[in-house]
Amino acid sequence: MLRLVPIFLFAIIVSACSSNSGSEAAENTEYDFPWYNPEISFEERLQMLTAEMTIDEKISQLTYDAAAIERLGVPEYNWWSEALHGVARNGRATVFPQPIGLGATFDRELIHDIYTAVSDEARAKFAISQEIGNYAQYAGLTFWTPNVNIFRDPRWGRGMETYGEDPYLTSQLGMEVVRGLQGDHPKYLKTGACAKHYAVHSGPEALRHEFDAITSMKDLHETYLPAFKALVTEANVESVMGAYNRVLGEPACASKLLVGDILFRDWGFRGHFLSDCWAIQDFHTGHMVTNDVAESAAMALNHGVSLNCGNSFPALGEALERGLVTEATIDQRLAELFITRFELGLFDPPSWNPYTEVDEDVINCDEHEELAYKAALKSMVLLKNNGVLPLKKDLRTLYITGPQANNSTVLLGNYYGVSNRLVNILEGITSRVSAGTTVDYRMGVLEYRDNVNPVDWASGGAKDHEATIVVLGISQLLEGEEGESLASPSKGDRLDL
């Protein structure tokens, strides 16, 4: 989709409600407000709508939890939704393998099919949410996916969210994620995708709110930026999210180099740029480049941030009074956001948008379950086989051990949805062996600490069975994002391997 965001001065626009020069279609009594008339271009409708807004109303639309403007017929909208490997944090959905597993498939067509399925489910769930009045966080159509950071250090807890260490593979698969999520309609977005976290964001988690990533220009352009460039210039990704950290001394969410020079000028990005969550407050609490929240909000807005995930942008009113920002800049950032809402069809009759026709039956359907199964098979990497595999179904005795054999949590990974068809590894193996097979299961060892009880019944029993399956690894309790890894003493990273 070619996305054109108009640059204009709203102060010179005559109110649509009192103008005689507006389109006759805009005065169609079928629509309570002219910006709901689908026969008018998005840009014209945007101008009419914004001309009616007060400065406080404009500012209210620049945070992720945009408030309703009832007098103008603008509904509330929460921009924060996740779909890392399936619609996430929003109830029932198909759960696909983590991106690090999808990266191991090396299969662009498969990735496109997966995220087409994800966007199908997203559209169906959104329609139902609207019907029941659910406008909550995670119930929208703007997905902060994919994560195209480079998994350069294997100790980083969020590496599971990425497609690995290779910039080319990440670029190729990331583009298919975007295309699957956004669709191919010439006018409407199926959903909005987001390239994150821009840029040079690969840990450490504990220092991300204050860390300055120092890299050479060669490494920046050959390692950390290729995937972002591909998603912007080839896949037309709708949004880009700035990272928490600084890059070469500048906060990533207010970097002249990254945002002004590279993203907007060199790559011609015309979508909206958003902050990672509460990253703007890091300007004055972690990076110490501003003195207070008003200065931080102004710095972010002036450097290209349209959407604040956090609570810093309400201070733009104070920043405006102090002369740190202009209303013209606020208007431009507002335009970048509302074009997305228009492209999603949120101001059009459902009959105009083909993506509103997705039926509820698609959610976690058999076809999507088969697709998830196919992806899981292709994601697996067999390191070595000394003639042991495949195991026969009619084993007489089978021993299963390990901390993750009976743990469904490890199936979910990071930023996950909830499937009503979860089958953990112990259940799956038991369902496939002969009904006459004696299956003995013991956890054997704790996941992230030494066994407290010195008596061990597990390891000794293995020798008496025809085969032993050991299910090892760690879960997101120990490895993951800063606030998710409840058992991690290092906020989600591993200090060694």
Side-chain angles (χ1 to χ4, degrees), residues 260-272:
D261 295 347
I262 297 175
L263 181 63
F264 284 105
R265 186 194 67 193
D266 296 349
W267 297 348
F269 179 60
R270 291 295 178 266
H272 65 269

Side-chain angles (χ1 to χ4, degrees), residues 65-109:
D65 51 349
I69 308 176
E70 294 182 3
R71 71 180 189 89
L72 300 178
V74 177
E76 64 180 289
Y77 183 72
N78 198 301
W79 291 82
W80 188 348
S81 289
E82 304 285 356
L84 184 67
H85 54 115
V87 178
R89 299 177 175 177
N90 191 32
R92 176 162 51 94
T94 305
V95 179
F96 294 92
Q98 279 284 123
I100 194 65
L102 296 178
T105 70
F106 290 83
D107 191 331
R108 285 178 290 201
E109 183 178 351

Side-chain angles (χ1 to χ4, degrees), residues 471-491:
V471 187
L472 299 174
I474 56 179
S475 75
Q476 58 269 54
L477 286 174
L478 192 63
E479 181 180 62
E481 191 172 4
E482 176 188 22
E484 296 284 335
S485 305
L486 304 181
S488 171
S490 50
K491 296 188 177 181

Side-chain angles (χ1 to χ4, degrees), residues 171-312:
S171 301
Q172 295 301 307
L173 300 188
M175 286 193 292
E176 296 307 323
V177 174
V178 172
R179 290 165 179 154
L181 286 176
Q182 295 189 171
D184 57 3
H185 194 276
K187 179 178 181 179
Y188 292 110
L189 285 168
K190 192 177 184 185
T191 68
C194 175
K196 69 181 185 184
H197 311 81
Y198 187 70
V200 199
H201 183 74
S202 300
E205 286 294 293
L207 301 177
R208 62 182 183 169
H209 302 287
E210 60 192 66
F211 179 68
D212 189 7
I214 304 300
T215 181
S216 67
M217 287 296 105
K218 175 181 173 65
D219 207 19
L220 178 67
H221 285 277
E222 292 184 358
T223 303
Y224 295 106
L225 296 188
F228 288 99
K229 181 179 181 181
L231 268 60
V232 169
T233 62
E234 297 183 56
N236 295 315
V237 69
E238 186 68 10
S239 64
V240 174
M241 176 188 285
Y244 287 111
N245 52 278
R246 277 172 289 156
V247 178
L248 299 172
E250 297 180 311
C253 290
S255 169
K256 179 181 181 298
L257 172 66
L258 289 179
V259 185
D261 295 347
I262 297 175
L263 181 63
F264 284 105
R265 186 194 67 193
D266 296 349
W267 297 348
F269 179 60
R270 291 295 178 266
H272 65 269
F273 183 66
L274 64 144
S275 73
D276 206 337
C277 297
W278 280 261
I280 293 174
Q281 75 175 16
D282 290 344
F283 293 4
H284 58 277
T285 62
H287 300 307
M288 304 302 180
V289 296
T290 56
N291 295 311
D292 55 39
V293 64
E295 287 187 11
S296 296
M299 185 180 191
L301 188 87
N302 289 333
H303 281 84
V305 174
S306 301
L307 183 68
N308 171 210
C309 181
N311 57 3
S312 298

Side-chain angles (χ1 to χ4, degrees), residues 3-11 13 41-51 53-55 57-63 79 189 238-239 264 269-273 301 304-307 313 316 326-344 347:
R3 190 179 198 277
L4 301 176
V5 176
I7 299 177
F8 41 70
L9 296 177
F10 292 106
I13 298 174
S41 71
F42 292 155
E43 289 75 18
E44 291 177 284
R45 294 154 71 183
L46 172 63
Q47 293 184 27
M48 290 188 291
L49 171 58
T50 311
M53 288 186 186
T54 67
I55 186 62
E57 289 169 340
K58 293 174 183 178
I59 292 172
S60 76
Q61 301 301 296
L62 300 181
T63 56
W79 291 82
L189 285 168
E238 186 68 10
S239 64
F264 284 105
F269 179 60
R270 291 295 178 266
H272 65 269
F273 183 66
L301 188 87
V305 174
S306 301
L307 183 68
F313 269 13
L316 286 173
T326 66
E327 188 168 358
T329 304
I330 292 173
D331 289 345
Q332 178 58 24
R333 302 292 174 257
L334 187 71
E336 292 161 357
L337 288 180
F338 265 89
I339 284 292
T340 298
R341 293 176 73 169
F342 280 119
E343 288 177 345
L344 287 168
F347 289 83

